[in-house]
Amino acid sequence: MNKESSYLPGRTALIMAFFLSFSACKKSAITDLAPADNFKQTQVDAATGSGSDVMMQAFYWDVPQGGWWNTLNDKIPAWKAAGIGAIWLPPATKAQGGATSMGYDPYDYFDFGSYNQMGTKPTRFGDSTSLGKLIATAHNNSIKVYADIVLNHCSGGTLEANPYTSTSTYTKFTPLSGKFQRTYNDFHPNDIEAADEGAFAGFPDLCHKKANVSNWIYNASYSMSKFYKNSLHFDGFRFDYVKGYGAWVVKNFVNSVGGPAAVFAVGEEWDGNAANLQNWVDATEQTSSAFDFACFYAMNSAFDKNDLTRLNDDMLLKRNAAKAVTFVSNHDTDITTNKYSAYAYIMTHEGYPCVFYKDYENLLDKNRMNNLIWIHKNLAGGTTTNLYSAADQYIDRRNGYGTLPGLIVYFNGSDNWQQQWVTSNWGGKKIKEYTGASNWEPTVAADGRVLIQVPPHAYSIWSVTGL
């Protein structure tokens, strides 16, 4: 991400002309949003993440029990119209908590609501039939479906004598699917390894170096990876708590079903250090993306702690945009209050933005969210140049790529309207503001200079007219 100083000229005749021409313009509220039902096909730039889809995290913690797959199925057409290109589902298999579980305590990796175990036949979200219907509906609407995969630990086993601990442990798993039976030999400690990268909450910790484990997860023809992709037709995978096991596990899982060209993958490497995120992606040999926690924490500091210069912080999207999944909140953490500005940031910058179900469906204005999704898919292309950076104002320019014209996004952390002269890439062209925050439509000077404005504690997004 390169930087360019903003252009702040004196009181020249050109400036006066601009001010006179703008003085009659009304500073409107955020209304008259860009349409959400007329999306263009855009070129994808792998180097910057330009033109990427928008993902929906299609759940939140403790969703209603019994019919979640059906709830999502009914929302698919509207999400398609809004520009959502993929949905991330919660762990869909039977867990120790049965009908109450959110799936992160996995018991039977092949029971999607078909076997009566853990006190229930369906999972919290529904049965295998309703899951299959959801996936089919999504695909019929050109929406990809990503499965949440929990590979660090298991839960719900019965007691057995464990020679490696000299105690009895809950490590005997005999799932009714008859698949991936486990004993103490498949967990830590065992005869080849005392521990791996990390355990979680005292749950039995899978040993991925054991043949029984690796065969059932990705190696064998009957493995989870192949069943999930080839039989259930998942298009990608979100890997939970990847700090708990080696990145090579994710690499092998992805490669077992065709590699990054065939499936999408993203890991939950919960780390606010962008270098550590990049190191994890590198350790997967670029087979997986990572959630950009560095961006997540920088946005919290910028928008909630009133220091927009924190948007200059190092982020995965600035190091490796094609492998950065950006987000504002999720089922585990929700620390940002100024969510509209945060969503405006991830929708105008590189990376693969993820929208949180509860934000989109329950907490925020859906029209404003759809507007930002439209902007991401139709305007936000190319590399980023910083035009202005201060605690109370921040301006970035996306430089455009292919059919995407680029944009200028202006954030304001003050109590007053602000305006700045900036240098655009649209010399001689007419531009407008695409969120409804301003109805100025200036003509850019031949050298690219133009005056733009932004409301208090908000954002404005500018690009060429006629789109």
Side-chain angles (χ1 to χ4, degrees):
M1 182 174 180
N2 58 314
K3 291 184 176 289
E4 177 181 292
S5 299
S6 60
Y7 185 80
L8 299 173
R11 293 179 177 273
T12 63
L14 177 62
I15 296 176
M16 290 303 296
F18 268 112
F19 272 108
L20 289 173
S21 65
F22 291 147
S23 61
C25 293
K26 179 183 177 183
K27 297 174 181 178
S28 62
I30 297 180
T31 57
D32 300 323
L33 301 179
D37 58 354
N38 183 25
F39 297 104
K40 299 178 180 179
Q41 293 294 318
T42 57
Q43 295 173 266
V44 177
D45 178 6
T48 66
S50 299
S52 68
D53 277 335
V54 174
M55 183 197 313
M56 173 73 74
Q57 179 181 352
F59 65 99
Y60 54 93
W61 201 258
D62 287 344
V63 299
Q65 296 180 31
W68 192 245
W69 299 148
N70 293 331
T71 297
L72 298 184
N73 187 76
D74 292 343
K75 292 186 179 294
I76 291 296
W79 288 353
K80 177 189 178 181
I84 299 299
I87 56 173
W88 154 28
L89 302 185
T93 56
K94 192 67 57 65
Q96 180 182 10
T100 66
S101 175
M102 286 297 296
Y104 291 97
D105 51 339
Y107 175 76
D108 187 339
Y109 287 102
F110 291 86
D111 179 6
F112 294 85
S114 299
Y115 301 95
N116 191 354
Q117 54 187 337
M118 297 299 152
T120 180
K121 183 176 180 181
T123 67
R124 183 187 190 104
F125 315 109
D127 59 21
S128 56
T129 300
S130 57
L131 174 61
K133 180 182 177 182
L134 169 60
I135 294 172
T137 300
H139 288 165
N140 289 337
N141 284 273
S142 301
I143 291 178
K144 302 179 182 70
V145 184
Y146 303 150
D148 202 318
I149 307 294
V150 185
L151 298 180
N152 176 74
H153 54 271
C154 298
S155 186
T158 56
L159 275 173
E160 62 177 347
N162 189 331
Y164 301 112
T165 63
S166 299
T167 63
S168 292
T169 54
Y170 290 95
T171 48
K172 187 173 181 60
F173 289 76
T174 54
L176 288 183
S177 69
K179 300 177 179 181
F180 198 6
Q181 297 189 27
R182 287 145 278 166
T183 69
Y184 58 79
N185 286 300
D186 301 308
F187 298 95
H188 295 108
N190 54 56
D191 58 330
I192 63 170
E193 190 174 57
D196 60 1
E197 284 76 2
F200 180 78
F203 289 120
D205 188 57
L206 280 169
C207 177
H208 294 276
K209 293 181 180 177
K210 283 289 191 173
N212 185 54
V213 175
S214 60
N215 282 340
W216 275 107
I217 290 178
Y218 58 80
N219 257 346
S221 60
Y222 49 77
S223 67
M224 288 169 54
S225 64
K226 297 176 182 66
F227 183 80
Y228 288 17
K229 181 180 186 297
N230 300 328
S231 296
L232 296 176
H233 306 296
F234 281 109
D235 304 288
F237 307 97
R238 180 263 186 187
F239 292 94
D240 181 65
Y241 189 60
V242 296
K243 284 182 175 292
Y245 51 92
W248 56 270
V249 176
V250 171
K251 177 192 71 173
N252 289 347
F253 192 106
V254 173
N255 285 339
S256 73
V257 286
V263 294
F264 172 77
V266 58
E268 185 204 25
E269 173 72 1
W270 197 321
D271 196 314
N273 185 300
N276 291 342
L277 296 172
Q278 181 64 63
N279 289 340
W280 184 83
V281 170
D282 290 342
T284 73
E285 297 183 8
Q286 302 288 313
T287 60
S288 180
S289 298
F291 285 105
D292 196 346
F293 282 92
C295 175
F296 171 77
Y297 288 117
M299 291 191 299
N300 173 249
S301 297
F303 298 124
D304 286 355
K305 299 178 182 177
N306 301 316
D307 183 6
L308 294 177
T309 63
R310 293 298 303 273
L311 298 177
N312 292 316
D313 286 5
D314 193 10
M315 304 174 189
L316 183 59
L317 70 88
K318 299 176 185 180
R319 289 172 170 256
N320 190 353
K323 296 297 182 182
V325 175
T326 53
F327 67 102
V328 173
S329 51
N330 63 28
H331 63 293
D332 282 328
T333 183
D334 193 355
I335 61 174
T336 301
T337 301
N338 191 352
K339 289 187 175 183
Y340 287 117
S341 289
Y343 275 111
Y345 185 84
I346 69 172
M347 292 294 178
T348 56
H349 284 72
E350 295 96 326
Y352 187 175
C354 181
V355 176
F356 184 40
Y357 179 99
K358 206 163 193 177
D359 288 343
Y360 185 84
E361 291 289 344
N362 303 125
L363 300 178
L364 303 181
D365 184 284
K366 198 172 293 185
N367 288 328
R368 288 184 70 174
M369 295 295 289
N370 288 347
N371 170 244
L372 290 173
I373 294 169
W374 186 93
I375 286 169
H376 173 76
K377 294 179 73 71
N378 290 275
L379 305 178
T383 58
T384 298
T385 300
N386 180 244
L387 302 180
Y388 190 88
S389 178
D392 66 337
Q393 296 179 70
Y394 191 91
I395 307 174
D396 272 346
R397 184 181 73 213
R398 290 296 298 277
N399 293 307
Y401 176 82
T403 59
L404 299 169
L407 55 81
I408 293 175
V409 58
Y410 189 173
F411 294 100
N412 182 4
S414 77
D415 295 332
N416 305 303
W417 278 80
Q418 301 271 20
Q419 54 190 25
Q420 289 287 349
W421 285 88
V422 294
T423 301
S424 76
N425 293 327
W426 309 306
K429 294 184 178 179
K430 194 172 186 179
I431 69 168
K432 74 173 190 176
E433 202 284 319
Y434 273 84
T435 73
S438 169
N439 54 17
W440 283 6
E441 291 194 10
T443 298
V444 181
D447 63 2
R449 291 174 298 159
V450 66
L451 182 69
I452 58 175
Q453 64 173 191
V454 64
H457 296 289
Y459 56 89
S460 59
I461 301 170
W462 305 79
S463 189
V464 293
T465 60
L467 298 178

